Amino acid sequence: MAYRQNAPASGGGSGSGAMSMPNRQGKMGTVSSAQDLSEKLEEFQTGMSKMPQVITRCLQMIRMFDTKVDDARSLIRKESEHYAMAKDPNAASTIEIKTRIDSKQTACLDLCEQKEANALQCVDVVTSELQNLEDYIANIDESLFTNMEAEEEASAAASSRAAGGAMTRPAAAAAAAAAGG
């Protein structure tokens, strides 16, 4: 199976750079007409228009986790100062402060893990949408190429029919004279 790089033939200009294969059916399916292509493009644009909202929501969640972690760290700092100033490390109040510090550190680590998971989810969403974009570009390029080939073949067939079926008057007269004469 031959692969084709969807780039302009003249060496200049811009192509998608996407790889496509002849007779390939991608996620969009085969696109048979300009109307279908237009509908698929609108569908893609609708999906892509939601991306800034999704990314913004992910970044807001990350900021929220940052704020919670910063708050927890400042409380840990304050309680650590109290713990460091304690005269008796075995006193009940000192042990209680140490327990609260440990608890807040655990909560802080949990928040960091949630923040990391949220960031990874955001990266996965962007990666998925980029893959969808590549698929759409490859399908659109393939559809345009297929439509251009079909138009060229139809045009060539029409030209050959016109050239073979319509003779000029002198050529028709010469053909009739040769046949009859």
Side-chain angles (χ1 to χ4, degrees):
M1 179 175 289
Y3 292 92
R4 179 177 84 252
Q5 180 79 23
N6 290 323
S10 64
S14 64
S16 71
M19 295 296 292
S20 65
M21 299 177 290
N23 303 320
R24 173 181 171 266
Q25 182 171 347
K27 287 184 180 180
M28 279 180 26
T30 55
V31 180
S32 59
S33 70
Q35 179 65 27
D36 290 341
L37 188 62
S38 177
E39 289 171 6
K40 293 297 182 181
L41 184 59
E42 287 177 27
E43 176 185 322
F44 174 74
Q45 287 173 334
T46 301
M48 287 304 293
S49 68
K50 296 176 185 173
M51 280 306 298
Q53 297 164 350
V54 170
I55 293 171
T56 299
R57 188 172 51 244
C58 286
L59 293 176
Q60 287 172 343
M61 293 292 291
I62 290 170
R63 283 188 206 106
M64 180 199 66
F65 287 126
D66 277 340
T67 302
K68 287 183 177 183
V69 167
D70 287 343
D71 293 346
R73 288 176 61 199
S74 77
L75 289 173
I76 291 170
R77 241 183 259 114
K78 287 179 186 175
E79 291 195 357
S80 293
E81 289 172 6
H82 289 251
Y83 181 76
M85 293 173 28
K87 300 210 188 267
D88 184 9
N90 295 325
S93 63
T94 308
I95 293 173
E96 183 182 328
I97 291 173
K98 174 72 170 132
T99 304
R100 284 196 313 251
I101 291 171
D102 290 344
S103 172
K104 287 182 177 144
Q105 285 178 332
T106 301
C108 189
L109 288 173
D110 289 343
L111 289 170
C112 289
E113 288 173 358
Q114 290 175 4
K115 174 184 167 184
E116 179 186 18
N118 191 293
L120 290 173
Q121 181 183 6
C122 186
V123 168
D124 288 344
V125 166
V126 171
T127 301
S128 171
E129 288 303 315
L130 285 174
Q131 183 60 47
N132 287 342
L133 176 62
E134 282 294 322
D135 289 343
Y136 273 102
I137 289 172
N139 280 313
I140 289 170
D141 284 350
E142 186 65 31
S143 295
L144 290 173
F145 181 75
T146 301
N147 288 343
M148 282 184 356
E149 284 180 338
E151 288 174 6
E152 287 173 1
E153 288 173 7
S155 176
S159 294
S160 68
R161 280 192 307 266
M167 292 188 190
T168 60
R169 283 192 181 163

